[in-house]
Amino acid sequence: MFTLFFRGMILYIAMILTMRALGKRQLGQFQPYEFAMTILLADVISAPMESVATPLLHGLLPVAAMIVVHGAITFCSLKSDRLRAFFSGKPAVVIRKGRIDRAELDRLCLSLSDLLEGLRGAGYLNPDKVGTAIVEANGTISAFAKADSRPVTTAEMGVNTGYEGMPLVLIMDGRVEKNNLSAAGQDEKWLTALLRARSLAVKDVFFACLNTRGELVLQPVSGPAETIQAMKSEAVGW
């Protein structure tokens, strides 16, 4: 029994390491050769996991072989556009200048229902608002509004919004995120002083993050959330 337990643990770890080697992709974003590999992985690993009579190497060696092949295909795809198109396919424009390309849909074996579903997933209920739609190599549909249907940008309105970057989480569930605090150019003494002014300690804070406008969004464990000006926006440096 313990043998099966440890064999399952080893194979599970091997599966995790293999998936990590594929990079930070979601399952729906896999290229065809990556998706094929995940299917094969499940089949290859299941045999030695189910039966003690099957040598463990019979599961690990095919996994290692697939990692090598995956690395070779990825390397070739990075170096050659032709090989990348062969292994992964190419994006295809299915709506051009607001007109659906029926021939391209037929070539991709996509129905109008599939296209409309993809457009809804991209945020468009009305296909008449779409100027361009592209079926990407991984099968997802990217859609872009017609010029007269897209929202007005702040640049077109002449509004200067200033720098806007990713907020830094400083406290998460009562724990200080020291790396983010250092990235903000501050220390725990500064953070403690801010909290003490509101009769709070770090353990009393469920969530706190600092945005690039210098505002600290603070949510205590109990009580309402609030936003305070913790830094001058000119002092923000991340």
Side-chain angles (χ1 to χ4, degrees):
M1 183 171 66
F2 285 106
T3 302
L4 281 174
F5 177 80
F6 286 113
R7 285 165 66 92
M9 183 184 297
I10 292 170
L11 291 168
Y12 181 65
I13 292 173
M15 183 78 166
I16 292 174
L17 293 176
T18 303
M19 298 303 291
R20 290 285 293 119
L22 296 181
K24 292 184 176 294
R25 290 184 183 270
Q26 297 177 5
L27 184 61
Q29 296 175 327
F30 279 165
Q31 298 296 349
Y33 68 92
E34 293 172 328
F35 185 64
M37 181 179 174
T38 60
I39 297 175
L40 287 174
L41 274 174
D43 186 55
V44 166
I45 286 180
S46 62
M49 188 178 290
E50 293 173 353
S51 174
V52 181
T54 305
L56 194 59
L57 284 178
H58 285 195
L60 295 178
L61 287 178
V63 169
M66 283 188 283
I67 292 176
V68 172
V69 173
H70 173 269
I73 293 176
T74 302
F75 178 80
C76 292
S77 297
L78 290 173
K79 297 298 181 181
S80 170
D81 290 338
R82 288 185 178 181
L83 287 176
R84 180 167 61 251
F86 175 77
F87 288 119
S88 303
K90 296 187 296 184
V93 180
V94 290
I95 297 181
R96 193 189 305 270
K97 296 181 179 179
R99 181 178 176 82
I100 298 173
D101 190 332
R102 182 175 181 178
E104 195 67 15
L105 287 179
D106 291 341
R107 188 183 71 82
L108 296 172
C109 298
L110 280 178
S111 67
L112 275 174
S113 296
D114 295 329
L115 176 61
L116 294 176
E117 181 180 343
L119 294 180
R120 289 194 296 271
Y124 292 95
L125 290 174
N126 187 355
D128 183 55
K129 300 296 183 181
V130 178
T132 303
I134 302 170
V135 177
E136 305 292 354
N138 59 18
T140 60
I141 295 179
S142 301
F144 305 91
K146 293 178 179 178
D148 59 357
S149 298
R150 62 176 175 79
V152 179
T153 65
T154 54
E156 292 171 332
M157 297 174 63
V159 177
N160 181 12
T161 58
Y163 170 70
E164 184 176 359
M166 185 175 70
L168 295 176
V169 177
L170 302 186
I171 300 176
M172 185 176 292
D173 200 9
R175 296 188 303 272
V176 176
E177 300 292 320
K178 295 183 179 179
N179 290 337
N180 289 344
L181 192 58
S182 297
Q186 302 296 339
D187 54 22
E188 290 192 48
K189 184 178 179 181
W190 169 82
L191 183 59
T192 303
L194 276 177
L195 298 178
R196 189 182 297 119
R198 283 155 181 79
S199 302
L200 293 171
V202 172
K203 63 181 178 61
D204 301 322
V205 179
F206 179 65
F207 176 77
C209 72
L210 185 68
N211 62 32
T212 48
R213 294 189 296 274
E215 297 170 339
L216 183 69
V217 180
L218 187 66
Q219 181 177 333
V221 173
S222 59
E226 61 176 319
T227 301
I228 60 177
Q229 192 68 40
M231 295 173 57
K232 294 181 178 180
S233 58
E234 296 81 5
V236 171
W238 69 87

